[in-house]
Every structure is written in structure tokens, then in C-alpha cells.
Amino acid sequence: MDVMEILKAYAEEIDVVIDDSLSKLEPESLYESSEYLIKAGGKKFRPALTLLSCQAVGGKPEKALKAAAAIELTHTFSLIHDDIMDNDDTRRGKPAVHKVWGEPLAILAGDSLFAKSFELLSQSAEDNIAYERVVDALQVLTNSCINICEGQALDMAFEDTFNVTKDEYMNMIYKKTGDLITASTTIGAIMGGASSNEIQALRTYGKQIGLAFQIQDDYIDLTGDESIGKPVGSDLVEGKKTLMVVYALEKANKEDHDRLVELLEANDESIIPEAMEILEKYGAINYARSKVYDCVIESKQALSILPDSDAKDALFKLADFVFTRKS
């Protein structure tokens, strides 16, 4: 199977678990707003990683279904709250939750998904998962949720400064985006009965994939196709401190540094060509691309201790997908 077939196959099972959990919410408006983004689509990349990680260590995927669904609910909760904070109008090609139901109900929908994720994960004990492993998984998800909040706060703090280092940027994207992907693979391994070495291997795999995923997002913004996503260069217009911007500011001479800052502060689409010229002059775009590649290679190397299996092969394919995806 190719990557999209793999993701689709797991998505159907995960959707059943999620729908059963959310259907208990009331009133109807809370249920509808909570399930809205999930029904809107999404690749279900993170929960697929959970199920594959479980299988890769010899576990049965059905043992990790509730955990996988919990991961997707956590991800969706973070998207709803992000859209409110960023005042974004759309998500997955549809009006954002807060644009349809208003901010108060959207906040409640996000909170409901957050609570439901922990409810579902704790219910894994009903599938004959050892109590100790359920507790370990809950701790991983708890830490990930804390990191999501810290990462978002760091991202917001970066809006007011251009003195952001590469290490600070990498720490921010790991917390905001990468750690939930790390949690996906780690929890899958835990649910599959993995040894401590296997858990660590899949944690490393998830961390590297998580970092690569966000950097690739930034890369796509500058090199992608507008017909399949947001306008090319929108991150530059918004003045975002992506890895490419941080790298260019670090390498640029004073004249180019100051000019790039000026362009990023303009909040105008007309700045895109000139800003791109400065990024290209200092090799920032190629640097980001090579960083994605390095992360993907390291993620694959981490899996070397696992026995060969279809699940391991699928994890390799998903790593390659992160590097080659266009949207």
C-alpha cells in the first residue's frame, strides 16, 4: 500500500471510536462543534503512527485504537484553540469552528475534545492493557499537552522579536508540533508491550518525524502550489519566524538583515519576491530542506533495532512522506 492508502485504512477504524465517544456529548451544538473538524477530514497521520508503532513491536492494533483516537482528539483540540488565538477563518477548506459556532462554544468544543482524549486513553485498560502501561501512556499524553501550551506561548512570544536562534526555534516547534507526534509513536509502543529500548527507539523516530513535519510545513509555504493550500509566502507576509527566516537573519550582513526585518514587518504581499531573494542569497531555503532530510534519515535509523515487519515498512514510508509531501 502507498502512504495515502495506509492512512485511509486506519482512519476509518479511528473515526468509529471517535464518533462513539463524542456521540455522548450534549447538547447537540456541543457535539456538532466538537466533531466538526474531525468530519472535515485530515490525514489522521498521528493516530496512524500510534497503531503502526504498536504493531511494529508485536502488538495488536486493536489494543491501541482508543489511544490512537485520543491522540487525534488532542490534535483537534489544539487546532480549534489555535484558530481562535490566530483568528483564522478556515481550517481544512471549511470555516473554522469559531466562525460557525462563535468563540465561546468553540472553546468548549476544544475543552471537550481535550477531556475526551484522556477519557479514551484511560479506557484502554478495558482492552486488557496492563494498568502500569496505561498510566505510562497517560503521563506521556499529559506531558505532550503541557508542551503544546508551552510551544504555542513561545510561538506567540516570538512574534515580538527578531532575536530568535535556531535552537530556540527548534525547541518551539518541537513543543508546539513535534511532541504530539512523539507521543503518538511512544504511546503506540507502550500499548504494544514494547521493551524500554523499543519505546526509546520509537520515541526518537517520532521526535525526528515531528521536527521534520513542521520544517517541511514552513518549506511548503515558500515553495508550494497555491491551488492545493494557502497562498505561497503567506508566512513571510505574516512575519513568522520560520527556520528559514531565523537562519537568514543569523547569516545575513547588516544591510540584508535590517532589510529582511523591514520586509517582515510590512505585512504586505508585495514583499514576498524581495524577501525570497534574501532567503535564497543566504541558502536559507536549501538549509531547511536539508534539515528535513537529516531528520527523516535519523528517524529511520532509530528503527533499526525493531524486527522487520509490514508495520516497520509503513513507518519508513511515512517518514519518506514527510519529506516529499506538498501539502
Side-chain angles (χ1 to χ4, degrees):
M1 290 194 294
D2 67 20
V3 167
M4 299 314 296
E5 288 173 330
I6 292 168
L7 296 177
K8 183 178 179 181
Y10 286 118
E12 293 172 355
E13 295 180 277
I14 294 158
D15 282 341
V16 171
V17 177
I18 289 176
D19 188 60
D20 180 63
S21 176
L22 297 187
S23 66
K24 300 175 178 64
L25 288 173
E26 56 181 38
E28 187 74 11
S29 58
L30 181 59
Y31 165 64
E32 290 177 348
S33 56
S34 297
E35 71 159 1
Y36 175 73
L37 270 190
I38 294 166
K39 295 287 187 182
K43 299 181 181 72
K44 303 292 193 301
F45 178 73
R46 293 160 187 79
L49 286 174
T50 301
L51 297 177
L52 286 169
S53 296
C54 176
Q55 288 178 275
V57 297
K60 296 180 179 179
E62 57 267 25
K63 297 282 189 179
L65 263 176
K66 290 186 178 70
I71 290 290
E72 185 65 13
L73 292 184
T74 302
H75 175 55
T76 308
F77 128 75
S78 71
L79 297 181
I80 292 174
H81 283 196
D82 277 0
D83 287 345
I84 294 170
M85 285 183 279
D86 296 340
N87 197 29
D88 287 336
D89 293 337
T90 61
R91 171 72 67 173
R92 293 174 178 167
K94 294 189 174 184
V97 174
H98 68 281
K99 293 297 181 181
V100 179
W101 283 276
E103 288 189 9
L105 192 58
I107 291 170
L108 290 175
D111 291 346
S112 297
L113 294 176
F114 179 81
K116 281 289 185 179
S117 68
F118 284 91
E119 178 185 64
L120 269 175
L121 186 52
S122 66
Q123 288 172 349
S124 295
E126 299 171 2
D127 298 322
N128 295 318
I129 302 293
Y131 173 77
E132 293 80 6
R133 288 190 176 270
V134 175
V135 171
D136 287 346
L138 285 166
Q139 187 62 59
V140 171
L141 186 60
T142 299
N143 290 339
S144 185
C145 288
I146 293 170
N147 276 336
I148 289 171
C149 295
E150 290 181 348
Q152 178 67 10
L154 285 169
D155 195 19
M156 291 164 59
F158 289 172
E159 293 175 5
D160 300 322
T161 179
F162 284 93
N163 296 319
V164 179
T165 67
K166 293 195 297 293
D167 285 345
E168 288 171 336
Y169 171 84
M170 295 296 286
N171 178 56
M172 182 274 289
I173 64 166
Y174 175 69
K175 288 188 170 188
K176 183 177 177 180
T177 302
D179 192 52
L180 186 59
I181 293 177
T182 308
S184 303
T185 56
T186 304
I187 290 173
I190 291 170
M191 293 296 159
S195 67
S196 58
N197 285 340
E198 290 172 329
I199 292 172
Q200 183 56 48
L202 281 158
R203 180 181 288 117
T204 300
Y205 169 87
K207 178 178 181 179
Q208 295 304 318
I209 290 299
L211 292 171
F213 196 94
Q214 183 57 52
I215 299 170
Q216 181 69 4
D217 260 3
D218 296 345
Y219 175 82
I220 289 170
D221 178 77
L222 294 188
T223 63
D225 182 348
E226 289 192 12
S227 67
I228 58 175
K230 62 183 180 179
V232 171
S234 61
D235 283 351
L236 293 174
V237 177
E238 295 171 17
K240 289 188 176 180
K241 315 307 188 298
T242 65
L243 181 61
M244 290 165 284
V245 167
V246 170
Y247 181 86
L249 288 172
E250 184 179 280
K251 297 294 182 182
N253 60 38
K254 188 177 187 308
E255 181 182 353
D256 288 339
H257 176 283
D258 292 348
R259 180 56 179 162
L260 183 55
V261 168
E262 184 180 343
L263 293 170
L264 293 170
E265 289 179 331
N267 193 29
D268 190 316
E269 290 184 6
S270 66
I271 64 95
I272 294 174
E274 187 178 353
M276 286 284 287
E277 283 182 14
I278 296 175
L279 295 182
E280 290 172 350
K281 177 178 179 179
Y282 291 97
I285 298 174
N286 287 337
Y287 172 78
R289 186 65 170 155
S290 66
K291 192 71 175 177
V292 175
Y293 179 80
D294 290 344
C295 288
V296 168
I297 292 300
E298 191 168 342
S299 74
K300 290 181 174 182
Q301 291 173 343
L303 299 180
S304 61
I305 72 165
L306 301 182
D308 291 339
S309 66
D310 290 342
K312 181 178 177 180
D313 289 343
L315 289 172
F316 275 124
K317 288 180 180 178
L318 287 177
D320 289 333
F321 166 73
V322 170
F323 182 70
T324 59
R325 69 192 180 92
K326 306 296 183 184
S327 65

